[in-house]
């Protein structure tokens, strides 16, 4: 383990079941929200970025006709001119924890740095909403952005899909839904240590058992909440677990990053390899000595700094790229 990350990990409060005790989901959700809200309150306000609250609705020939409205928090740099590129963002939390505003302090910095908008999706969580409900929310939010881009001052030809951890899995599932249902293709998908495979059969899934940050036991509980008795069976569709997709062709250019000490390491590497084999441009980064969510737990470490620099550079390059044809 990287030394800086090890020091940061020592400061993380641990229960007997790790940092995230999914055996007591209500208590863990409350603690997770309180911690995120405390971090947000301690961050100085940035007047250069505004936050708007919207409700994304389905509509059009490819949208759901009876689905619920999906809350979206839209961050926008106040000084940026012209229609803005936009990052459709899905927060982490294993699809059972978290909320759209949890990442606002650093998403604000991202929006200000890149001159882009960020649309953070408050998708429904499991087990209250089993998969693929969260991906359906992602599809609704994406289609809404495409329809309303002009009215919102956004560039509908420059929408990227991105997510982190459980949200990375939802981002990947959303990209699959957009491809399969038609419509304007995303400019890219950016998947940060994404949660992709409910089968938990890779070497890294069996290796990572005692770090405390989303180890195998936590991941098994999360997938049980997401899928119930379907977890690990043949009754799982790609929109619930993107690694189940046999056909990965015609997906947008993809950025994937993961730590070497992350239980998702091998499923992410396999996804990247299969994407590239089916003709999708892929940029893959594996960080040695890094555990799950290393950039959040040790944001000032050299590895986190290197990752953020690399990721921001990728986003800048993709937003500057020519639009992807529908």
């Amino acid at each position: 383990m990287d030394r800086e990350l090890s020091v940061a990990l020592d400061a993380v409060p641990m229960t007997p079941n790790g940092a995230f005790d999914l055996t007591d989901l209500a208590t863990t959700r409350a603690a997770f929200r309180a911690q995120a809200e405390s971090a947000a309150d301690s961050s100085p306000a940035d007047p250069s970025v505004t936050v708007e609250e919207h409700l994304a609705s389905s509509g059009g020939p490819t949208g759901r006709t009876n689905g619920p409205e999906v809350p979206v928090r839209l961050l926008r740099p106040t000084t940026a001119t012209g229609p803005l590129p936009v990052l459709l963002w899905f927060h982490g939390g294993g699809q059972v924890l978290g909320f759209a505003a949890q990442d606002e302090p650093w998403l604000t910095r991202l929006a200000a740095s890149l001159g882009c908008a960020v649309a953070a999706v408050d998708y429904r969580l499991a087990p209250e909403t089993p998969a693929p409900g969260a991906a359906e929310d992602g599809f609704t939010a994406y289609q809404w952005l495409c329809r309303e881009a002009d009215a919102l001052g956004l560039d509908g030809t420059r929408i990227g899909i991105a997510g982190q951890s459980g949200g990375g899995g939802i981002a990947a599932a959303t990209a699959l839904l957009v491809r399969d249902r038609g419509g304007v293709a995303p400019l890219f998908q950016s998947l940060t240590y994404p949660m992709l495979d409910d089968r938990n059969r890779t070497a890294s899934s069996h290796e990572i058992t005692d770090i405390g940050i989303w180890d195998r036991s936590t991941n098994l509980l999360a997938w049980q909440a997401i899928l119930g008795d379907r977890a690990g069976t043949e009754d799982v569709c790609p929109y619930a677990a993107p690694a189940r997709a046999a056909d990965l062709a015609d997906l947008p250019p993809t950025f994937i990053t993961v730590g070497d000490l992350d239980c998702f390491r091998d499923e992410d590497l396999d996804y990247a390899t299969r994407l590239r084999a089916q003709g999708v441009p892929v940029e893959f980064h594996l960080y040695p000595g890094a555990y799950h969510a290393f950039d959040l737990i040790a944001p000032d470490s050299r590895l986190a700094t290197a990752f953020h620099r690399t990721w921001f550079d990728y986003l800048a390059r993709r937003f500057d790229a020519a639009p992807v044809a529908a």
Side-chain angles (χ1 to χ4, degrees), residues 301-314:
S301 66
R302 283 170 292 184
L303 279 183
T305 299
F307 160 59
H308 288 139
R309 185 185 305 116
T310 300
W311 185 45
F312 277 38
D313 176 71
Y314 179 85

Side-chain angles (χ1 to χ4, degrees), residues 86-88 90 139 142 146 156-163 168 170-191 239 242 245 247-256 271-284 314-315 318-319 321-326:
V86 56
L87 190 71
L88 184 66
F90 298 92
F139 180 75
Y142 181 80
C146 290
T157 68
R158 291 191 293 164
I159 301 175
I161 295 177
I170 296 168
T174 299
L176 287 166
L177 280 170
V178 172
R179 181 199 64 180
D180 295 345
R181 293 178 179 174
V184 178
L187 193 60
F188 59 85
Q189 61 174 342
S190 172
L191 313 176
Y239 312 131
D247 179 11
L248 298 179
D250 301 317
L251 286 167
T254 301
F255 178 98
I256 299 178
Y271 201 70
T273 301
R274 292 196 296 122
L275 281 165
R276 191 67 198 93
Q278 296 188 45
V280 177
V282 175
E283 184 168 325
F284 182 84
Y314 179 85
L315 296 178
R318 291 309 310 169
F319 279 143
V324 175

Side-chain angles (χ1 to χ4, degrees), residues 16 52 112 131 140 217 222 247 281 293 296:
E52 306 165 4
T140 293
S217 58
D247 179 11
L296 301 179

Side-chain angles (χ1 to χ4, degrees), residues 40 65 73 86 95 100 116 187 191-192 201 208 243 269 299:
T65 57
R73 293 178 68 84
V86 56
Q95 303 181 34
C116 69
L187 193 60
L191 313 176
T192 303
R201 63 187 185 187
I208 308 305
L269 177 58

Side-chain angles (χ1 to χ4, degrees), residues 140-150 152 156 159 178 183-186:
T140 293
Y142 181 80
Q143 292 293 341
W144 171 78
L145 272 181
C146 290
R147 290 197 319 271
E148 301 297 326
D150 289 345
L152 294 168
I159 301 175
V178 172
V184 178

Side-chain angles (χ1 to χ4, degrees), residues 79-216:
T79 59
T81 59
L84 300 179
V86 56
L87 190 71
L88 184 66
W89 176 254
F90 298 92
H91 66 79
Q95 303 181 34
V96 296
L97 304 170
F99 55 105
Q102 72 185 43
D103 300 319
E104 225 153 83
W106 65 267
L107 287 176
T108 295
R109 295 193 295 273
L110 185 151
S113 175
L114 296 180
C116 69
V118 178
V121 183
D122 215 352
Y123 57 86
R124 291 169 295 167
L125 300 176
E128 294 83 356
T129 301
E136 291 287 359
D137 289 349
F139 180 75
T140 293
Y142 181 80
Q143 292 293 341
W144 171 78
L145 272 181
C146 290
R147 290 197 319 271
E148 301 297 326
D150 289 345
L152 294 168
L154 306 175
D155 185 344
T157 68
R158 291 191 293 164
I159 301 175
I161 295 177
Q164 184 178 66
S165 190
I170 296 168
T174 299
L176 287 166
L177 280 170
V178 172
R179 181 199 64 180
D180 295 345
R181 293 178 179 174
V184 178
L187 193 60
F188 59 85
Q189 61 174 342
S190 172
L191 313 176
T192 303
Y193 33 82
M195 180 184 189
L196 302 172
D197 197 342
D198 65 294
R199 292 166 291 191
N200 292 280
R201 63 187 185 187
T202 65
S204 61
S205 174
H206 287 277
E207 288 170 11
I208 308 305
T209 59
D210 59 358
I211 292 176
I213 303 296
W214 214 263
D215 295 338
R216 176 178 174 82

Side-chain angles (χ1 to χ4, degrees), residues 1 3 27 63 256:
M1 186 180 294
R3 184 185 61 81
T27 298
I256 299 178

